Amino acid sequence: MLEMHNVTKIYRTGLVETRALRDFTLTVDSGEFVTITGPSGSGKTTFLNVAGLLDGFEQGTYKLDGVDVSRLTDRQMSRIRNEKIGFIFQSFNLIPDLDVADNVDVPLRYRGLSAKDRKERIERALGLVGLTSRARHLPSQLSGGQQQRVAIARVLAGDPKLILADEPTGNLDSGMAREIMELLEQINEAGTSIIMVTHNPEHAARAHRQLHIADGRMVDMERIAPMPLNRVIAHPSAARA
Amino acid sequence: MLLYNLRLAWKSVLRHPALSGLIVAGIALGVAVSTSFVTIWHVLAADPVPGKSGRLFFVRVDAWGAPEPYDEAGNPPPQLTYQDMRRLLGASDIPVRQTASFPSIAYVRPQERGQAGRRPFQATLRMTTADFFPMFEAPFRYGSGWDRTADAKPEAVAVIGSDLNDRLFGGKDSVGSTLRLNDRDFKIVGVLEDWRPKVRYYDLLGNAYQEPEEIFLPLEHFRAMGLEPTGSRNSWRVEPWGLMETLDSSEMIWLQMWVELESASDVRAYHAFLDDYARDQKKLGRFPKPLNNRLSAVGELMEEWQVVPRQAKALAAISALFLVIAALNLIGLFLGKFLARSSVVGVRRALGASRGAIFAQHLVECEVVALIGGVLGLLVSMGVLALVNRMYQPAGVEEAFFQLDASMMLAALGFALLAGGIAGVYPSWRICAIAPAHHLKNQ
């Protein structure tokens, strides 16, 4: 699914160069759930940005779903982000002007789907996260956990192959965080690859594989057994199959 | 996607009403000023007889006998003497139509039953020839103009305007009725429609924005009726003020002549005809100056005689510049508004929006705000024009002179879109070029 080899990312501020990623190499298979931990400033978010085609890199190669992304145009990268990648952020990143349904609709708009198709996807995604009744609520009218579920519904509606989650439980209390983790595990169980950055060792331990980044490099890699799932929800792709 | 962007734009307008209001006001001001002045210029400079103005030519021959030229620019006199008009009118078959005319006044003495108690009143006259009506496309409500034979005798026939017809005959078909002017009776052969060209293009001397005269008579009646021209008259030599005494040899210039020519070759041929005429006159001791005859189309004459004041053109240009400056001033407001939502744009980029999509979204927002400003500006400019009409309505014009027609309304909205584009391109480009990764973590 994701193949990075010796990727180097450098931030330049005036005369100062900061190597956020150094010869970073990582392969993530389809359907894999990988967690990444590391201290602040170690390069976790930079890795997610590069992996999500939100930021470029100076050296190395990066193939996403078999496509070398280093020479793609902005439009091509946008298309890949839209169709193959789903983002979940610590601060939810919902658009405050738009209600829940319209937030879920955003990636679908850029895909050029028909109104009917979009409506079906939105309803299905909100149903999967249990927020059908909140479709016309604004984000400000929802709790943190509900907002994160909307963000997950936004991802589900797009039916991506890879989810990049940046501390998705970081702003939630433990109960909400557990719900979100279960939701992510269920999505992964349905076949979607997930790479999740987290500071929470307990959450990190629930992945197929835990990675640790320090100073822009992978310093530890360990395969662990997948965690048992409490329950399984249908993934949109499975529902259509 | 356009509808989606329009919806987002509307939401944004509603979310920031004060800021949006400020931008709308800025564009409305620019549109109002530019639309008002461009409309003034547009009305003044509009082709008064579209499709035909290029075929109507004003005839000038240089009969000015003084050693000095007629004016400092070396132009020939703007009008003809009676003797030149008589010799030129109808002497060439190159023009498809030709006419001469001058303005005058006479007293109308109501004669019809029911009008007997009315007092005589003064009415404006245009003494002219049969070709005048088809040449200048005067529209008829009843009847028609007279024919060329009526010019020669001249027959006692008249064409009257719709206002006079309303006044004397209650708007009914008065063709065949009698019109008593001074002490003579004329048979009405035609009643004009409500004919109010913005520019009285058949007589661009003096006030070109007056309405057409109320009565039209065959030109040669002026002799028997003793009618004097109310327009300008001039002579290079001392002559009696009364025209009639020395009419056939007078050098007084007071008549205007137009010809209708169908092609460029006809124009050249008729110009040669005028030059030949001038050479013949030189042999008779007249036309002492080098050949200086002119055939000027309506537009050329309007330009030469500055029928459209230069100030109007300059003001239109300055007002367009004002719109551009107003738009440039709005760049900062749009930029601030857009950059404040960088994190939302970062989210949209992460969710698959290309730079182009973000650019289009924000440009649409600029244009939506600009269109609102344009509509508001249009309303303001209507108010401005009403004020201008009240202050500077040309004499003799009753209806609002400066009005926004459909083309100017479209132009106003075009100005608004242009302003929106000028103000919006840079901020839209800036916001679409932000690094999404930088803003996602900071939302």
Side-chain angles (χ1 to χ4, degrees):
Chain A
M1 182 69 225
L2 178 149
E3 297 170 65
M4 275 189 190
H5 290 285
N6 298 323
V7 167
T8 297
K9 171 67 186 173
I10 302 170
Y11 289 113
R12 291 186 175 85
T13 310
L15 295 175
V16 180
E17 276 192 358
T18 306
R19 289 179 175 259
L21 294 179
R22 299 164 188 255
D23 298 328
F24 193 93
T25 298
L26 173 66
T27 302
V28 176
D29 296 331
S30 291
E32 202 175 6
F33 191 155
V34 175
T35 53
I36 297 175
T37 55
S40 294
S42 60
K44 302 187 299 294
T45 299
T46 299
F47 159 71
L48 283 185
N49 287 336
V50 172
L53 312 186
L54 293 170
D55 220 342
F57 53 94
E58 278 68 32
Q59 291 169 23
T61 59
Y62 173 24
K63 284 186 180 177
L64 182 67
D65 200 23
V67 176
D68 183 350
V69 302
S70 58
R71 295 180 185 277
L72 297 182
T73 62
D74 174 72
R75 183 183 286 264
Q76 290 167 325
M77 284 197 284
S78 299
R79 194 179 188 91
I80 289 177
R81 278 200 302 274
N82 182 256
E83 295 179 355
K84 295 186 177 178
I85 303 174
F87 291 92
I88 301 173
F89 305 97
Q90 179 180 0
S91 52
F92 324 130
N93 280 358
L94 299 179
I95 298 175
D97 295 352
L98 305 182
D99 63 27
V100 165
D102 283 344
N103 264 288
V104 177
D105 189 31
V106 171
L108 308 181
R109 288 281 183 174
Y110 295 118
R111 203 177 292 188
L113 300 176
S114 69
K116 186 183 169 202
D117 196 2
R118 285 188 286 108
K119 187 167 180 257
E120 284 174 7
R121 282 173 177 257
I122 292 165
E123 286 173 355
R124 192 187 308 128
L126 288 178
L128 290 172
V129 300
L131 286 174
T132 303
S133 62
R134 301 300 183 103
R136 290 302 157 199
H137 284 64
L138 288 172
S140 58
Q141 297 170 307
L142 304 177
S143 69
Q146 287 173 322
Q147 288 190 48
Q148 195 59 296
R149 279 197 278 159
V150 173
I152 292 171
R154 186 169 64 186
V155 169
L156 287 175
D159 190 15
K161 291 188 172 181
L162 171 67
I163 291 176
L164 300 173
D166 192 359
E167 300 187 53
T169 58
N171 283 3
L172 304 176
D173 61 37
S174 58
M176 291 281 190
R178 193 163 46 249
E179 275 186 31
I180 295 300
M181 281 306 298
E182 286 171 3
L183 206 47
L184 291 176
E185 285 165 355
Q186 289 157 19
I187 293 167
N188 172 245
E189 187 67 18
T192 304
S193 306
I194 297 178
I195 301 174
M196 182 176 82
V197 165
T198 182
H199 283 296
N200 188 317
E202 187 186 328
H203 293 163
R206 294 172 70 159
H208 299 148
R209 192 153 48 117
Q210 294 178 56
L211 307 174
H212 190 77
I213 297 179
D215 201 19
R217 283 198 179 93
M218 200 73 73
V219 294
D220 190 16
M221 192 179 290
E222 168 186 16
R223 285 189 181 278
I224 61 169
M227 295 291 289
L229 295 172
N230 293 335
R231 60 189 169 90
V232 175
I233 62 169
H235 188 273
S237 58
R240 278 194 301 280
Chain B
M1 207 61 194
L2 178 62
L3 286 177
Y4 181 62
N5 285 338
L6 287 171
R7 192 165 141 238
L8 293 178
W10 185 243
K11 276 178 179 286
S12 173
V13 169
L14 296 181
R15 186 174 165 83
H16 305 285
L19 184 56
S20 300
L22 199 60
I23 296 172
V24 164
I27 289 178
L29 183 66
V31 168
V33 170
S34 55
T35 303
S36 301
F37 286 111
V38 172
T39 297
I40 289 171
W41 176 75
H42 172 71
V43 168
L44 294 177
D47 186 345
V49 54
K52 196 161 188 186
S53 54
R55 286 188 285 146
L56 299 177
F57 292 87
F58 188 73
V59 177
R60 282 177 286 178
V61 291
D62 198 346
W64 201 246
E68 312 81 39
Y70 175 76
D71 64 19
E72 289 177 359
N75 293 310
Q79 300 187 103
L80 303 183
T81 63
Y82 180 72
Q83 55 173 320
D84 289 325
M85 185 278 291
R86 283 296 301 268
R87 291 186 194 114
L88 289 172
L89 192 68
S92 166
D93 58 2
I94 298 167
V96 289
R97 295 187 183 96
Q98 45 197 313
T99 189
S101 76
F102 72 92
S104 189
I105 51 171
Y107 277 92
V108 175
R109 301 181 186 281
Q111 296 294 304
E112 298 280 317
R113 238 182 302 176
Q115 300 174 352
R118 289 197 179 176
R119 298 162 66 90
F121 58 88
Q122 206 173 51
T124 54
L125 300 182
R126 169 79 31 188
M127 307 302 292
T128 186
T129 63
D131 280 359
F132 176 92
F133 304 102
M135 270 182 83
F136 297 113
E137 298 187 337
F140 278 87
R141 180 175 296 173
Y142 305 118
S144 63
W146 58 83
D147 56 28
R148 288 178 182 173
T149 56
D151 285 330
K153 276 186 172 178
E155 291 178 10
V157 290
V159 167
I160 64 173
S162 61
D163 284 350
L164 186 61
N165 189 56
D166 291 346
R167 187 171 178 183
L168 292 178
F169 304 102
K172 293 177 185 168
D173 184 354
S174 59
V175 171
S177 302
T178 299
L179 174 72
R180 190 163 183 79
L181 281 174
N182 293 348
D183 55 353
R184 287 170 180 267
D185 287 340
F186 291 84
K187 180 184 170 190
I188 296 171
V189 293
V191 178
L192 293 175
E193 283 284 3
D194 189 15
W195 187 35
R196 299 172 197 272
K198 291 287 185 197
V199 176
R200 199 173 64 176
Y201 48 91
Y202 61 79
D203 184 352
L204 294 169
L205 281 171
N207 184 358
Y209 298 104
Q210 289 181 74
E211 291 185 356
E213 289 80 5
E214 297 165 278
I215 301 167
F216 298 79
L217 298 179
L219 189 144
E220 287 298 336
H221 280 297
F222 82 95
R223 299 185 82 150
M225 294 175 75
L227 296 175
E228 299 275 336
T230 52
S232 69
R233 52 179 160 176
N234 211 342
S235 179
W236 57 271
R237 68 184 184 193
V238 177
E239 294 197 34
W241 184 246
L243 281 173
M244 305 306 166
E245 295 87 343
T246 57
L247 193 61
D248 293 319
S249 60
S250 170
E251 291 293 341
M252 187 78 76
I253 53 169
W254 55 285
L255 285 145
Q256 299 179 31
M257 182 173 166
W258 289 85
V259 290
E260 183 176 341
L261 300 166
E262 290 203 307
S263 65
S265 60
D266 283 355
V267 174
R268 285 192 295 275
Y270 193 74
H271 203 288
F273 163 78
L274 292 179
D275 288 346
D276 287 344
Y277 172 77
R279 286 188 196 99
D280 287 345
Q281 292 303 307
K282 281 178 181 290
K283 289 174 190 166
L284 299 172
R286 297 180 70 223
F287 289 58
K289 297 192 176 54
L291 291 179
N292 188 20
N293 305 318
R294 302 272 175 91
L295 283 174
S296 307
V298 176
E300 294 167 353
L301 207 57
M302 287 176 68
E303 186 77 26
E304 182 184 331
W305 289 351
Q306 293 179 30
V307 172
V308 181
R310 283 186 181 162
Q311 297 91 323
K313 201 170 185 175
L315 277 173
I318 290 168
S319 67
L321 198 63
F322 180 83
L323 178 71
V324 172
I325 292 168
L328 289 174
N329 275 319
L330 296 176
I331 288 177
L333 290 178
F334 274 126
L335 193 60
K337 186 180 184 186
F338 290 171
L339 290 180
R341 66 167 78 133
S342 296
S343 55
V344 170
V345 170
V347 173
R348 287 188 177 277
R349 294 277 285 139
L351 298 178
S354 64
R355 283 201 192 103
I358 297 295
F359 180 84
Q361 177 197 331
H362 289 83
L363 196 60
V364 165
E365 181 172 336
C366 296
E367 296 296 18
V368 165
V369 174
L371 267 181
I372 297 170
V375 171
L376 190 65
L378 203 55
L379 296 175
V380 174
S381 65
M382 284 175 180
V384 170
L385 290 175
L387 198 65
V388 172
N389 278 324
R390 188 176 292 182
M391 292 168 68
Y392 299 109
Q393 184 87 341
V397 178
E398 290 172 9
E399 69 178 35
F401 191 77
F402 297 112
Q403 285 181 314
L404 282 169
D405 59 16
S407 64
M408 281 315 301
M409 287 186 187
L410 283 176
L413 297 181
F415 290 153
L417 289 175
L418 177 69
I422 291 171
V425 165
Y426 177 67
S428 300
W429 176 79
R430 277 289 301 274
I431 193 65
C432 84
I434 64 161
H438 183 70
H439 297 278
L440 283 170
K441 193 87 175 175
N442 300 330
Q443 195 188 36

